[in-house]
Amino acid sequence: MMPSRYEFQGHASGIDAKQGQGDFAPAGLEVSTERVLRVLGYRRDAPARAAVRSTAQAMAELAVAAATPRATYRRLAIDRCTPEGLVLSTGTRLRGPTFAAYLAGCDEVAVFVLSLGARFDSTQKNLSAAGKTLEAYVMDIAGWLGIEEATRLLKDRLDEEAKRDGLELTRRLAPGYTSRVGGQKVEWSLEDHPALFSLFDEAAPARLLEGSCAMTPKMSRTGLFGLRAVPGYPIPDA
């Protein structure tokens, strides 16, 4: 019998169809000097001094050179989704009303761990240890812009795979971030991080610090996308 469109299917992307797990190393990561300057508060009508622009450019380039971006992700079926929280096919429970509000019509999710790698952290620490506080701060900004770009590239990859199965992605949901539910801001608690990390093995690009919900390497991110059927997509015959 052919797999249904809601069952995980392996692709040439390197996903292990048996485990429903894939790895992705974003290529061509870019961090714009202009975006770094915008975060620092500079605008076109108030341009940065030459020394500031030079630092922003150097740290943007260093951030990209030091980064070794990699993501691990899993596509998992949803067992149930209620205002109390989300239960995956693995039995993993994630709490809060965010999921019922944003995963309507979804039968599975893509859960991920993404990191810029340990080399980024060590490079930034070396700047701080050398007393280059400004450079370390600007590199930190460039790093967060870099992980935003890596997240976008990962979403593009997942979206491409989802479309092959007649599915589309929802917006990204992430521990520690707020979403608007019923006119109120609701946070997906960081306390769910251990449950999320339990879905991945030691090969994941980041891990939790012992006794904490914080991650190492520092420039890391987790989250999930819902996958829902695209209206009109033909269901394969059994």
Side-chain angles (χ1 to χ4, degrees), residues 14-136:
I15 298 174
D16 182 335
K18 182 178 180 181
Q19 298 297 325
Q21 183 164 316
D23 290 299
F24 175 60
L29 195 69
E30 295 181 356
V31 175
S32 163
T33 300
E34 296 303 320
R35 291 189 67 194
V36 173
L37 290 171
R38 296 297 171 267
V39 175
L40 287 169
Y42 293 96
R43 299 291 182 265
R44 287 187 176 86
D45 59 352
R49 300 189 308 275
V52 174
R53 174 174 289 277
S54 177
T55 298
Q57 180 176 348
M59 292 305 101
E61 293 172 354
L62 181 60
V64 171
T68 53
R70 187 171 71 86
T72 297
Y73 57 95
R74 292 185 67 182
R75 282 175 58 175
L76 297 166
I78 294 174
D79 182 62
R80 60 185 181 276
C81 185
T82 70
E84 285 69 45
L86 177 69
V87 182
L88 301 177
S89 58
T90 54
T92 308
R93 297 173 181 269
L94 306 172
R95 299 164 295 171
T98 301
F99 308 105
Y102 289 92
L103 299 182
C106 297
D107 285 273
E108 64 177 298
V109 294
V111 188
F112 71 88
V113 177
L114 168 67
S115 179
L116 293 189
R119 188 171 69 186
F120 182 97
D121 283 11
S122 61
T123 301
Q124 188 188 28
K125 287 178 181 177
N126 288 341
L127 288 174
S128 296
K132 297 182 178 180
T133 306
L134 174 62
E135 288 83 352

Side-chain angles (χ1 to χ4, degrees), residues 114-190:
L114 168 67
S115 179
L116 293 189
R119 188 171 69 186
F120 182 97
D121 283 11
S122 61
T123 301
Q124 188 188 28
K125 287 178 181 177
N126 288 341
L127 288 174
S128 296
K132 297 182 178 180
T133 306
L134 174 62
E135 288 83 352
Y137 172 67
V138 177
M139 186 178 177
D140 189 75
I141 291 172
W144 282 115
L145 291 172
I147 205 164
E148 286 286 344
E149 175 69 3
T151 303
R152 183 189 67 78
L153 293 171
L154 172 62
K155 183 178 185 295
D156 287 349
R157 163 59 70 90
L158 293 173
D159 188 54
E160 179 183 314
E161 293 175 359
K163 285 178 180 176
R164 289 201 290 264
D165 290 337
L167 304 171
E168 60 185 6
L169 299 183
T170 65
R171 57 168 285 183
R172 177 176 61 91
L173 303 176
Y177 284 75
T178 59
S179 303
R180 191 164 290 277
V181 178
Q184 295 183 332
K185 289 185 177 180
V186 177
E187 181 180 285
W188 177 5
S189 175
L190 280 172

